[in-house]
Amino acid sequence: MSNIDDKYARPTFRPVVGIDLGTTNSAVAFIHRGKPEIIPSPQGRRITPSVVLIDLKNRIIVGEDARAALVAMPDRTVAAVKRKMGSKERIPVGGQALLPQEISALILKELKSYVDTRLGEGEKEAVITVPAYFTDEQRRATKQAGELAGFVVERIINEPTAAALAFGLDHLEEDRHILVYDLGGGTFDVSIVEMMSGVLEVKATTGNNHLGGEDFDWKIVDWLAEKIIAEHNIDPRDDIRARALLKEEAEKIKKELSARETVTVSLPVVTVKDNRPVGLDLEFTREQLVALIDPLLQETMNHVQRVLADAGLVKDDIDEILLVGGSTRIPRVHELIRNFFGKEPRMDVNPDEAVALGAAVQAGLKSGSLSKSGLVATDVAPFSMGIAVLKEWKGITLRPGGFHAIIPRNTTIPVTRTETFYTTSDGQTAASIEIYQGEHEWTKHNHRLGEFLLEGIPPNKAGAEAVEVTYRYNLNGILEVTARCVSTGKEMSVTVQDALNRDSQEAFSESAARLEALWQNVDNEDFDDELVGEEMELFNELPDNGDEQLEVDQELASADMHEEASGLLARAQKLLPTLAGAERLKLEKAIHLLNNAMSGDDIDQLQEALDRVTDLMIDLEFKE
Ligand code: ADP
Ligand code: MG
């Protein structure tokens, strides 16, 4: 075959991988010979700690080595960034101030290097998982992280769905209800998945994205700290290094107690007091651990009951209980599940790998490498999505700010729902479509996704003009809202992505540039690997040469906040003349504070003033 033939014969194949971007650990998998398979690191590690280190040479280090540096270099490492996904908070690390999705991108880039080693260079698509409870913003941040790392992000899927997919592949012939209990390092999700002739449908999902093994570690840290306080009258948690050391030790204790009943804790130096070392020497039992974490484990069982109720099932309807997430190795978890369901949970898919393997299955379904499997996946909406309406208040008056769900929580997606609304005042020519997500009957307690105005409604009597509102929610968690004036046919639509992210392209470019600079910034000169350990120890005494960058980034954040503040001020000033008495005074005072904060350069003060005026405005506008 000639070269030219070769070139044309090569398929334009773009590999698709599945990624579990975890709070604690991440993993990547792909379909190999019809089965999902983990792609290990060059060192052979199958899961990678989601920890990033920017070392003294400005090198970016991700994974086990970064995790090992958590204690020695607290200012140069970031862990558990997933808990901040979707926020605009800049996280200081190694003299930089990075957005959560930028740090996640560094983790994903590390995984991509494993993929490139295994599958060759070139473009890769990725399916990335998120907790079922992630909001649209958090999903978007995750997608962006993948793109920043150089992946084409094919889909964002829920972790329990992925776990069920990993499980489902080997048991295609059976019809059943599976409960997926996923207790990881930072999140807890429980879902009910129905499997029927190869079709997987998530019937319900709930959980708490701030509950996991990390919390167990901190319970142990607190317990150990109390011991030291009682004995030495000094709180080791006030010392950042001692705190990190105790956290590391706590996790070790916890893991060991999954395998044995008692561990010996022996730490000669936790912190120093009056120039003397303060240490720990004690026995810690599984029973003590259970006593510390049982309230949290009981909470997970409450969620189990809730998800059953949401799915309209009782516990006897559950055929299989699938345990995923590293924390499900704790024997007490098995015990609680066993006691509740009266049967053994299964762990036949490795709990650390199930999510990545399932994401790979989803990737395989997409790429066609699993097309013969007969599997089809659907999902559910994790939140209700709806619109702001006038609502009866205390049974007397109609008030604005009521929440009306158009797509209720746990609806199977993809889904399209349409409802009709009517004008509420005479001569009304425009309708404001305010889009919210959440479960509360008043929008001010829910999460605002966006707003747009449908204009050009013919002036008519109140209630005479109808507006059809359509919500379309797809498997990527992207919402498209359309409003149509029935009498004229005029319509307007918005995808929530666009509604929220008017300047997203710009922000994305900024992030990409910042990461590019980081990757270029490595100081390679006379680098000596042997020195790393020593330099780590020295780090706290060294001047931080990244302060300048931090300042630049804070200026940017402050510019964003000033813009937000200006908008808010305009709104507040407009509202002011309509108020009287105490309300007016309150708002005047808040406006004054905000004005002051805007002319100063204290970013925290500005944030505080912003929050205060925002809260007040919500209350006042709601009362109006
Ligand atoms: P995530 O999904 O949050 O990334 P993982 O599923 O990887 O997390 O679980 C990580 C958590 O599992 C950590 O809190 C870790 O301490 C915990 N873990 C791992 N192994 C064990 C064990 N043998 N016993 C108890 N907890 C464990
Ligand atoms: Mg996980």
Side-chain angles (χ1 to χ4, degrees), residues 258-283:
S258 290
R260 71 190 92 224
E261 293 285 343
T262 311
V263 292
T264 307
V265 184
S266 174
L267 289 172
V269 190
V270 174
T271 186
V272 270
K273 190 188 176 191
D274 307 329
N275 284 325
R276 299 170 79 123
V278 172
L280 270 174
D281 218 336
L282 50 90
E283 296 271 297

Side-chain angles (χ1 to χ4, degrees), residues 22-25 184-186 213-214 251 254-255 258 325-327 329-330 352:
T23 312
T24 326
N25 297 300
E214 289 269 317
E251 191 184 6
K254 175 189 73 177
K255 285 186 180 173
S258 290
S327 299
R329 291 216 169 90
I330 296 173
D352 292 328

Side-chain angles (χ1 to χ4, degrees), residues 487-504:
S487 68
T488 65
K490 186 180 168 186
E491 66 175 41
M492 236 192 110
S493 66
V494 59
T495 66
V496 162
Q497 205 162 342
D498 296 334
L500 269 182
N501 280 6
R502 248 162 287 136
D503 53 2
S504 70

Side-chain angles (χ1 to χ4, degrees), residues 276-291:
R276 299 170 79 123
V278 172
L280 270 174
D281 218 336
L282 50 90
E283 296 271 297
F284 198 85
T285 66
R286 187 184 282 177
E287 212 175 310
Q288 281 172 305
L289 173 66
V290 169

Side-chain angles (χ1 to χ4, degrees), residues 20 22-23 25 82 159 182 184-185 187 325 355:
D20 172 8
T23 312
N25 297 300
K82 187 169 174 178
E159 286 159 10
D182 179 351
T187 57
V355 171

Side-chain angles (χ1 to χ4, degrees), residues 468-537:
E468 267 176 20
V469 178
T470 301
Y471 274 46
R472 199 178 311 248
Y473 194 64
N474 71 17
L475 280 171
N476 294 331
I478 309 249
L479 178 68
E480 186 187 297
V481 178
T482 305
R484 181 172 155 269
C485 173
V486 174
S487 68
T488 65
K490 186 180 168 186
E491 66 175 41
M492 236 192 110
S493 66
V494 59
T495 66
V496 162
Q497 205 162 342
D498 296 334
L500 269 182
N501 280 6
R502 248 162 287 136
D503 53 2
S504 70
Q505 203 45 49
E506 202 178 315
F508 183 84
S509 308
E510 273 173 31
S511 285
R514 198 153 35 231
L515 290 181
E516 198 50 46
L518 257 184
W519 283 317
Q520 298 300 320
N521 210 7
V522 182
D523 173 10
N524 271 323
E525 255 173 81
D526 58 54
F527 182 76
D528 184 351
D529 260 309
E530 301 303 312
L531 278 175
V532 175
E534 279 170 53
E535 289 189 36
M536 274 182 184
E537 289 307 312

Side-chain angles (χ1 to χ4, degrees), residues 422-456:
Y422 298 90
T423 48
T424 51
S425 52
D426 290 342
Q428 183 177 345
T429 57
S432 165
I433 312 295
E434 293 172 58
I435 308 157
Y436 284 85
Q437 175 186 70
E439 310 309 321
H440 201 277
E441 62 170 321
W442 296 102
T443 55
K444 74 168 188 166
H445 298 293
N446 290 334
H447 182 68
R448 187 189 162 88
L449 293 175
E451 174 181 2
F452 67 94
L453 201 64
L454 179 72
E455 288 174 308

